[in-house]
Amino acid sequence: MKTVDLRSDTVTQPTPAMRAAMMAAPLGDDVFGDDPTVNALQDHIATITGKQAALFMPSGTQSNLCGILAHCQRGDEYIVGQNAHTYRFEGGGAAVFGSVQPQPLVQDVAGRMALADIAAAIKPDDMHFARTRLLCLENTWNGNVMPDGYLHEATQLARDHGLATHLDGARVFNAAVASAAPGQGAMARVREIANHFDSLSVCFSKGLGAPVGSALCGSRELIERARRLRKMAGGGLRQAGFLAAAAHHALDHHVDRLAADHGLATRLADGLKDVNGLKVRSAQTNIVFVDVATGRGPALLEFLSQNGVLATGLIGLRFVTHLDVDAAGIDHALTTIRRFFAELPAVPPAGAAAGSAVY
Ligand SMILES: *Cc1c(COP(=O)(O)O)cnc(C)c1O
């Protein structure tokens, strides 16, 4: 039986059509600005997001880093969620490479920082304080779509205080497909989300299924600063059109199909609803988080991997659907999870606190 890999939507293989597009791409040296395929992708994603310009990046981490450093100087700070990728999962890069300090704030389950907390964290102009320059948000948040009302209020508050705004939109296409109004295309919905922000980073290597690549989108001026930073970070790539072609193919062919990934995530979540010993958190897009009775998470992960189902447990048990998963794979995962809870005694290991665990 084929392994069902639900660890992340980053594990996909390029499709034959994507590989063909890569092989056929006209190339040039992108550090000289000569790669027509990179230039076409950058124009395309800038148009989609409604920004003046865009810059192709090797990774989302580098894209967020160059975005933050393009907005901030040494000794500045950015306001960010305590559990946000741009604070917690990027190795502290903005502080390490840019001397830009994060001001992390508590988030609610929907990923929102309270507006009052944001306002209170914005420092007055005083030599005791770092200069507060930027607000960073993330959408999707743990697979859920951030409500427009919150995006509007938080970014408006930032603007009222002279702050710039950046969206970590690694999965913004998932957000768009899941929240487009009837009759509204996904691209129009991406632009609507992006409109709240001065800049955003999007990933092509997640649900869109490209092997590599992200883009930072923003004003021409911001992108020119980011281009210098990307070079410093070692992200100036040469015949990068190979990779940009995959990303462009993904934008042309893999956006609307995200709805199928979302459908499979719902299928998984629905199938787990009545399983004793675990609790499914909401699954609006392609990520299903599951809370397991205390102490049983590692054993479940081990049992799953022995039976050809891969998932991760870094921040709670997580299953992610993507291009290379089908309904049969999801049904195999469901059967295997049900078997685990049917076969093993539901007694938590000695020492584990009852009833309170996330994982
Ligand atoms: C994956 C991800 C990133 C970083 O992308 P990499 O290409 O893995 O560096 C940033 N933010 C979020 C929310 C992500 O999921």
Side-chain angles (χ1 to χ4, degrees):
M1 162 111 210
K2 200 176 108 212
T3 297
V4 186
D5 194 342
L6 302 173
R7 288 173 301 167
S8 179
D9 46 9
T10 56
V11 301
T12 53
Q13 296 285 322
T15 62
M18 182 180 277
R19 288 173 196 253
M22 294 170 76
M23 294 312 290
L27 304 174
D29 186 332
D30 182 51
V31 175
F32 290 114
D34 282 353
D35 192 303
T37 308
V38 171
N39 292 337
L41 171 69
Q42 290 174 166
D43 289 347
H44 190 41
I45 191 65
T47 303
I48 290 170
T49 57
K51 301 301 178 203
Q52 287 176 345
L55 193 61
F56 188 51
M57 297 274 185
S59 71
T61 299
Q62 191 172 103
S63 185
N64 281 326
L65 174 69
C66 291
I68 293 169
L69 300 196
H71 283 293
C72 301
Q73 302 291 313
R74 293 184 69 211
D76 291 351
E77 71 173 9
Y78 65 108
I79 293 176
V80 62
Q82 183 80 43
N83 291 313
H85 206 283
T86 45
Y87 171 60
R88 193 160 178 175
F89 295 97
E90 296 183 1
V96 174
F97 297 124
S99 300
V100 176
Q101 114 176 334
Q103 165 61 73
L105 296 179
V106 171
Q107 296 163 281
D108 67 12
V109 284
R112 293 173 298 205
M113 300 170 265
L115 298 179
D117 289 352
I118 296 174
I122 299 172
K123 319 286 185 292
D125 183 5
D126 178 300
M127 67 176 174
H128 293 88
F129 301 127
R131 290 169 302 241
T132 315
R133 286 282 194 237
L134 176 68
L135 173 70
C136 284
L137 300 181
E138 185 175 320
N139 193 15
T140 59
W141 173 258
N142 280 351
N144 291 330
V145 181
M146 278 234 162
D148 278 277
Y150 179 75
L151 296 181
H152 172 74
E153 286 174 355
T155 54
Q156 190 57 49
L157 173 68
R159 267 188 297 279
D160 290 346
H161 288 83
L163 271 57
T165 53
H166 174 77
L167 176 70
D168 178 356
R171 294 190 177 88
V172 73
F173 287 92
N174 294 89
V177 166
S179 65
Q184 180 186 37
M187 298 308 191
R189 179 68 184 126
V190 166
R191 194 169 319 131
E192 204 169 70
I193 295 170
N195 277 344
H196 294 291
F197 296 90
D198 296 312
S199 63
L200 74 160
S201 169
V202 304
C203 286
F204 305 115
S205 57
K206 301 257 162 105
L208 295 186
V212 170
S214 288
L216 179 69
C217 311
S219 70
R220 233 168 255 116
E221 202 190 335
L222 185 92
I223 293 302
E224 280 323 302
R225 286 203 296 279
R227 192 186 303 280
R228 178 178 282 269
L229 291 159
R230 184 187 67 172
K231 190 78 181 94
M232 280 188 233
L237 304 180
R238 302 295 177 173
Q239 281 71 30
F242 259 132
L243 303 171
H248 208 128
H249 179 86
L251 287 173
D252 288 346
H253 300 283
H254 292 175
V255 173
D256 291 333
R257 66 151 305 287
L258 290 171
D261 297 348
H262 301 174
L264 289 179
T266 304
R267 184 186 183 100
L268 181 66
D270 287 349
L272 292 175
K273 261 187 192 139
D274 63 343
V275 176
N276 242 336
L278 63 76
K279 192 162 170 292
V280 178
R281 289 187 237 160
S282 70
Q284 283 179 14
T285 60
N286 68 327
I287 305 182
V288 181
F289 278 99
V290 169
D291 297 332
V292 182
T294 309
R296 302 197 70 193
L300 173 59
L301 278 181
E302 177 62 24
F303 182 81
L304 289 177
S305 88
Q306 282 166 5
N307 290 282
V309 179
L310 303 182
T312 61
L314 188 64
I315 47 170
L317 211 59
R318 191 183 84 159
F319 302 89
V320 187
T321 59
H322 52 75
L323 201 56
D324 292 349
V325 181
D326 58 14
I330 291 302
D331 291 345
H332 176 61
L334 273 172
T335 312
T336 312
I337 296 166
R338 287 172 162 284
R339 260 178 56 211
F340 174 82
F341 285 100
E343 282 173 14
L344 294 182
V347 179
S356 63
V358 168
Y359 161 73

